[in-house]
Amino acid sequence: MPLVIQNDECPVYAYINSLRAVSSKSTALRVLHSIAQKLGRSNYYSINWARFDRNTLNSLVALLKDKGLSYETIGLYLSITKSVLREAFLLGQINSLHWERVKSVKPPMLGKKKLHATLSQSDFAQLLNTIEVLALTNTKKVRDQAMFHLLIGCGLRRFELAKLKLSAIDLIGNKITFDGKGGKERTVAIHPITMRALKEWMVIRGYKEGAVFTRVYKSGELHKSVSINNTDEIPHFSSETIYLLCKTYGLVSAGITPHSLRRSYATWLSRNGANIQHISKLMGHSSIKTTEIYIKTEQREIDKTVLDKLFV
């Protein structure tokens, strides 16, 4: 992705500059890069936003729908595109009629509610076995297993895992404290099973400051440290790498993405009787209603409720 070019007349720059959280900026740029690719452009700066009209936007929505993207993802793409076009309107690059026509574009109608995929505990064990078989080196095997343990054992978003630093981990108190979505600080306890996988990785990684997870070369060597703010640190990799790992180990083809692992974390806790308010705090949600969306309930569990709880 190209860097954000400071240009007060550019609607992309104006929109990105209006966002406060680093994670929001990163998400917006990732989406804009994807939009450019889907429109056959080299990058988002090659899009003529002043000529991006209602028909173009409707065509984009149809394309995203044809590619099988979820309702929520299409909504995100639509929202970010409209935000850039709003800046184009405020900059006087499109007129009010153009802007009103663009605003009128709606996401596709939500049909049958999609059941978000989650991973069962037996599926997770199988994933660890798959990594054991497919990883090219022991270093990569230990790193990848630890990463998936953190995703499903702490409910981290993929950008939270990608940017997780050693300083965020309390190896004595078995917890991590970090800035999550919207810059909100969150503390999550680390289960002993998750901690064991993490410590196995730390033996290989070492305890130099910087990203907990970094690139591993084919030789098994780690990405070399770089100077960050005059400090020698281990560099992190992009959150896209975590998605690619899910693809490498066959999860994506089964409908499992990094966010599915976060959903699995909430679902496992719920099924084992955890207080939903506690789950909500652990997930970093502002509302329990959001947490309820994350928790997957099997129909057989609903049926069992009738059998077990109706006549008692």
Side-chain angles (χ1 to χ4, degrees), residues 54 82 99-106:
R54 183 172 184 269
K82 285 183 178 180
W99 171 231
E100 288 299 324
R101 282 172 55 80
V102 166
K103 279 201 304 181
S104 70
V105 176
K106 304 295 183 184

Side-chain angles (χ1 to χ4, degrees), residues 12 17 20 26 39 42 67 96 180-181 223 230 251 253 278:
V12 171
N17 197 41
R20 295 292 170 260
S26 177
L39 293 176
S42 57
K67 287 186 174 294
S96 58
K181 189 175 181 180
H223 195 294
N230 296 322
L251 294 178
S253 61
H278 295 171

Side-chain angles (χ1 to χ4, degrees), residues 8 24 69 87 92 96 127 142 145 156 160 174 183 193 199 216 220-221 237 242 263 266 292 294 296:
D8 291 339
S24 299
L69 273 66
E87 295 296 339
S96 58
L127 168 62
V142 174
Q145 288 183 338
L156 299 181
E160 293 169 344
N174 294 336
I193 291 177
K199 286 184 175 179
V216 174
E221 294 182 10
F237 47 44
I242 299 172
R263 291 181 183 279
E292 289 173 342
Y294 275 65
K296 182 177 179 180

Side-chain angles (χ1 to χ4, degrees), residues 87-131:
E87 295 296 339
F89 168 63
L90 294 174
L91 288 167
Q93 296 173 3
I94 61 177
N95 60 38
S96 58
L97 179 59
H98 186 149
W99 171 231
E100 288 299 324
R101 282 172 55 80
V102 166
K103 279 201 304 181
S104 70
V105 176
K106 304 295 183 184
M109 293 295 291
L110 182 60
K112 184 178 180 181
K113 187 175 181 181
K114 179 181 177 181
L115 294 177
H116 294 286
T118 56
L119 214 60
S120 69
Q121 294 191 21
S122 61
D123 290 335
F124 182 56
Q126 182 59 49
L127 168 62
L128 298 179
N129 288 334
T130 301
I131 295 172

Side-chain angles (χ1 to χ4, degrees), residues 206-219:
Y207 293 87
K208 180 177 288 186
E209 187 50 68
V212 174
F213 297 104
T214 192
R215 181 179 176 185
V216 174
Y217 295 108
K218 290 182 179 179
S219 64

Side-chain angles (χ1 to χ4, degrees), residues 140-275:
K140 194 171 189 307
K141 180 198 77 174
V142 174
R143 185 204 65 176
D144 292 355
Q145 288 183 338
M147 286 175 62
F148 282 109
H149 266 289
L150 264 289
L151 284 169
I152 207 164
C154 294
L156 299 181
R157 299 176 177 91
R158 61 173 169 167
F159 88 85
E160 293 169 344
L161 181 69
K163 295 184 178 299
L164 189 66
K165 288 195 171 187
L166 180 64
S167 57
I169 302 176
D170 181 350
L171 293 170
I172 305 299
N174 294 336
K175 60 185 178 182
I176 51 176
T177 301
F178 56 95
D179 288 337
K181 189 175 181 180
K184 293 187 295 184
E185 186 177 88
R186 191 158 98 249
T187 298
V188 177
I190 305 176
H191 190 279
I193 291 177
T194 308
M195 181 58 82
R196 184 162 60 246
L198 177 59
K199 286 184 175 179
E200 286 179 9
W201 165 241
M202 296 305 299
V203 169
I204 296 175
R205 178 202 177 277
Y207 293 87
K208 180 177 288 186
E209 187 50 68
V212 174
F213 297 104
T214 192
R215 181 179 176 185
V216 174
Y217 295 108
K218 290 182 179 179
S219 64
E221 294 182 10
L222 302 184
H223 195 294
K224 293 181 180 179
S225 301
V226 296
S227 179
I228 302 176
N229 297 324
N230 296 322
T231 303
D232 194 29
E233 294 188 7
I234 295 176
H236 65 77
F237 47 44
S238 71
S239 60
E240 186 65 22
T241 302
I242 299 172
Y243 175 83
L244 293 176
L245 281 177
C246 286
K247 195 171 182 178
T248 297
Y249 293 120
L251 294 178
V252 174
S253 61
I256 302 292
T257 65
H259 214 68
S260 301
L261 302 179
R262 178 169 158 80
R263 291 181 183 279
S264 301
Y265 172 73
T267 299
W268 290 12
L269 287 170
S270 177
R271 287 179 181 171
N272 290 328
N275 185 307

